[in-house]
Amino acid sequence: MGQSGRGQAWALALHGGAGPARSRSYEREEAHMRGVLDAAAAELEAGASALDVVGAAVAALEASGMHIAGRGAAPNADGVWELDAAIMDGATRKAGAVAALVGFESPIAVARCVLERTPHVLLAGAGAAAFARAQGCAPVPDPAAYYTPAASRPVAPGELAHGTVGAVAKDRAGRLAAATSTGGLLHKMPGRVGDAPLIGAGTWADGRCAVSCTGQGELFIRANVAADVSARIVYARQSLHAACAGALADMAALGGDGGLIAVDADGEIAAPFVSDGMKRGLANAGGLRDVRTFR
Ligand code: ASP
């Protein structure tokens, strides 16, 4: 699905994962996403930076407990909540990410701290947790009480066993940014890291586009989907829509499913998926406000 937004002063897209089941309604999730979209749109309208807006939007989606990320994440096969997140600023190409992070409410907030306060891009496991603690990030002292019971629900027939949240934006100054946060695959192996925190695979932003992916992470890593969108734009001179479709088709050809959201420097928005559906919300300065789960 594409949205013509040529020359938009700002543009924004959110996603809540490409794992929805047709057998249930997502009205609650869509209503919440509409609120997050409106708040983020107001910030962009007022001149906020794309980096701040995508970070705040993903934090709100994490906190909702409605998606497989943050509060809504499911534990791994050992019953431990190991979460992944990344944020990238297209204007500076600075990025921060955490992988297999245990014990903190907002992995995207920790990723932002990695971006701002370390010379590194990605911190994993115990080192990431020690860093988050030292930064004063909000801890989860009692995981069983904090994480929503909905997250540990059995997978419904036909439902894809994963989920993620993400945001991409172009701000009034023309800067692009992307953020992604996930609990990863349901029942994943301890230590498994998906595409979301890997810059270039699940999350990417530069001067051409900002991309946040959702789907079977292993395939997104093998196809390097997020950075491939930018490569197609610059090397193959493809439009944002063609680049997104091509990158996703390359991943799907390996046997994966999922989708992505992307914005480009013109304010164009693309939100294609090769799965049953994808929870997503789109907005731009021209008045676009569109939240939906299926086509
Ligand atoms: N891509 C995520 C992962 O593999 C899961 C998802 O987006 O649904 O960790």
Side-chain angles (χ1 to χ4, degrees), residues 15-203:
H15 74 75
R22 285 197 179 272
S23 51
R24 60 164 283 211
S25 149
Y26 286 91
E27 266 172 41
R28 242 181 94 242
E29 288 84 349
E30 287 171 6
H32 180 266
M33 185 174 280
R34 211 164 282 123
V36 175
L37 190 79
D38 287 346
E43 289 288 308
L44 286 166
E45 183 64 37
S49 78
L51 188 66
D52 285 345
V53 168
V54 296
V58 165
L61 293 169
E62 286 177 335
S64 73
M66 293 178 184
H67 312 280
I68 316 282
R71 191 164 194 203
N76 66 19
D78 278 357
V80 178
W81 278 263
E82 284 186 342
L83 310 186
D84 298 339
I87 186 163
M88 187 164 187
D89 181 23
T92 60
R93 289 276 191 108
K94 285 187 178 172
V98 289
L101 175 72
V102 177
F104 293 86
E105 286 187 6
S106 176
I108 201 66
V110 184
R112 179 75 191 260
C113 288
V114 174
L115 183 155
E116 302 286 353
R117 303 175 194 166
T118 80
H120 306 304
V121 167
L122 173 61
L123 294 181
F131 171 72
R133 206 168 305 117
Q135 296 301 312
C137 296
V140 176
D142 182 357
Y146 179 72
Y147 292 104
T148 55
S152 334
R153 76 197 189 289
V155 180
E159 185 173 8
L160 296 174
H162 55 72
T164 288
V165 301
V168 294
K170 174 202 170 190
D171 65 26
R172 282 188 171 280
R175 296 166 300 198
L176 303 173
T180 313
S181 179
T182 188
L185 301 186
L186 304 184
H187 314 301
K188 66 186 179 184
M189 286 174 67
R192 181 266 186 188
V193 172
D195 59 313
L198 302 185
I199 297 302
T203 304

